[in-house]
Amino acid sequence: MTWLITGGAGYIGAHVARAMTAAGERVVVLDDVSSGITDRLPAEIPLVRGAILDRELLDRTLAEHAVTGVVHLAAKKQVGQSVEQPLLYYRENLHGLTVLLEAVVAAGVQRFLFSSSAAVYGIPDMELIPESAPCEPINPYGETKLAGEWLVRATGRAHSLSTACLRYFNVAGADRPELADTGVFNIIPMFFDRITRGEAPRIFGADYATPDGTCIRDYIHVSDLADAHLAVARRLAEQDAGDLTVNIGRGVGVSVRELADLVADVTGYTDEPVVEPRRPGDAAKAVASVDLISKELGWTASRGVREMVDSAWEGWCLRHPDARIK
C-alpha cells in the first residue's frame, strides 16, 4: 500500500510519517506548511505542498503516487481559536474533509484513517471515558471532530471504505528534539514558556474535586501515538470495509500539580506555580478507557509522563537555547 498522510509535516504528522516509513510502509505527505515544518521529514518521504481544499491537487496526488490509503491529520486544532473563528474551523476541518473524501471516493481509495480527538466527549463525569460515552463537545473544534467522524463513517458505509477514527487524549513529548512541538498551546510547552520568560507556571483552578484540587488528564507520548497509527493502518489494510473507533491514551491520570512538579524536577525551576481561576469548560478529570484498542489490536502505550517531559524539554531547549536552568 501507499499511504497519503495529510498534515504530515506537523508535530504529530511527522512522527506518524517517520514511524510508518521505518516500519516499511510507503508514505507520501501532503501539507500546506501553514504550521508544519518541512525539515521534520526525511528526504526519502515525498512532500506535496498544498491544501486539502485543493481538489485538483488531491486528484493529481492520489493518482501520481498510486495512493491506496489515507491518514488524515491536517486540521486546525486550537480550542480558543475555534471559539473566536468557528467559520474558519468548519471550513478547514469539515469542508476540507468533505473535499478530501470526495477525491478519495473518486480515486477508488479504500482505506481512511481519521485523526479525531477526545474533545468529542465534552466534559463527561466518569472515572474512565469509554468510546461508548455520550459525545457532547463544548467548542467548535470538538464539534468539527465529531461531525468529521460522522462524515467518515457515512462515507465508508456508502462507498465500502474501511475507516478508523482515533480519539487522541493529550499528546506530549518528542521522538527526537528536532521533532518537538513548536506551539505554545498545550500545558507542557505553556509551562516551559513561562519558565523561559522567568515567570512561574500557571495552574488554572486548584479547587476541583480531585486529590490535590487540580485537573487530572491522560497524557500520551507522541511516539506511542505514532505507533498506534501504524497499528490501525495495518488493520485497515487487512480487513474488509468497516469502522474502528478507538481512544488513544494511557488510561492513567496525571494532575496538573503533579505535572508541574515533574516539570520543575526536569528543568530545575523551583518557584511555586501561580494558581489562577478556573478556565471555562475544564473538566475535573478526563482519562481514557483504553480497553478497546488493547482488545482489538493488542496495542498499549509504552512511554511514561517523565519521558514525555524530558523529551519535550530537550526539544524546547533546542529552539530556546537560553532556557536551560540546570
Side-chain angles (χ1 to χ4, degrees):
M1 292 191 65
T2 297
W3 292 93
L4 173 67
I5 302 179
T6 68
Y11 163 55
I12 294 173
H15 281 88
V16 173
R18 283 173 171 268
M20 293 183 69
T21 299
E25 301 291 337
R26 290 192 299 273
V27 164
V28 57
V29 164
L30 174 72
D31 200 302
D32 66 5
V33 201
S34 59
S35 59
I37 301 172
T38 59
D39 289 347
R40 285 177 170 143
L41 295 172
E44 64 267 23
I45 297 180
L47 171 62
V48 178
R49 293 183 182 235
I52 57 172
L53 288 162
D54 186 340
R55 174 61 189 275
E56 182 179 345
L57 177 64
L58 290 175
D59 290 341
R60 186 166 65 250
T61 300
L62 293 172
E64 289 181 356
H65 293 274
V67 170
T68 50
V70 172
V71 178
H72 178 46
L73 295 103
K76 299 294 184 184
K77 62 175 185 177
Q78 297 175 36
V79 169
Q81 186 186 50
S82 80
V83 175
E84 297 168 357
Q85 302 182 60
L87 293 174
L88 171 66
Y89 273 65
Y90 272 84
R91 182 176 70 247
E92 296 283 336
N93 292 4
L94 200 54
H95 180 56
L97 174 59
T98 301
V99 175
L100 176 60
L101 285 169
E102 288 173 344
V104 161
V105 170
V109 175
Q110 294 294 302
R111 307 288 184 264
F112 196 93
L113 191 162
F114 177 59
S115 165
S116 189
S117 168
V120 301
Y121 294 119
I123 48 174
D125 182 16
M126 53 186 64
E127 191 69 17
L128 296 175
I129 304 171
E131 290 83 355
S132 59
C135 290
E136 299 174 345
I138 61 170
N139 52 65
Y141 168 67
E143 291 167 3
T144 63
K145 286 299 184 181
L146 180 57
E149 289 190 10
W150 295 340
L151 181 56
V152 167
R153 293 191 198 103
T155 303
R157 290 191 297 268
H159 299 280
S160 299
L161 273 66
S162 293
T163 60
C165 299
L166 275 57
R167 294 173 174 171
Y168 309 168
F169 279 66
N170 299 272
V171 185
D175 181 66
R176 58 188 73 181
E178 61 269 25
L179 298 181
D181 191 0
T182 58
V184 189
F185 308 111
N186 299 318
I187 188 168
I188 293 175
M190 287 172 68
F191 280 170
F192 293 164
D193 181 57
R194 296 278 293 187
I195 290 170
T196 300
R197 291 188 281 116
E199 301 173 1
R202 293 185 295 180
I203 292 176
F204 295 98
D207 58 349
Y208 288 92
T210 61
D212 65 17
T214 65
C215 294
I216 293 173
R217 294 291 182 268
D218 191 337
Y219 297 92
I220 179 77
H221 196 293
V222 67
S223 295
D224 279 330
L225 178 62
D227 292 342
H229 278 76
L230 173 63
V232 173
R234 287 185 163 171
R235 164 62 68 88
L236 292 182
E238 295 168 356
Q239 71 177 21
D240 294 330
D243 175 70
L244 177 68
T245 299
V246 289
N247 291 331
I248 308 293
R250 295 170 60 241
V252 177
V254 178
S255 77
V256 174
R257 177 73 69 178
E258 290 172 330
L259 191 63
D261 289 345
L262 182 53
V263 167
D265 186 53
V266 168
T267 64
Y269 185 86
T270 57
D271 288 3
E272 279 292 308
V274 175
V275 175
E276 299 193 357
R278 295 184 183 190
R279 295 180 303 186
D282 275 349
K285 184 175 183 180
V287 179
S289 169
V290 293
D291 292 344
L292 184 59
I293 191 169
S294 177
K295 176 184 175 182
E296 289 288 333
L297 301 176
W299 181 89
T300 56
S302 63
R303 299 163 179 88
V305 179
R306 176 74 189 221
E307 190 171 349
M308 297 180 212
V309 175
D310 276 333
S311 60
W313 180 239
E314 289 299 313
W316 181 269
C317 290
L318 179 67
R319 292 181 171 82
H320 305 85
D322 295 332
R324 288 195 182 275
I325 295 169
K326 285 185 176 179

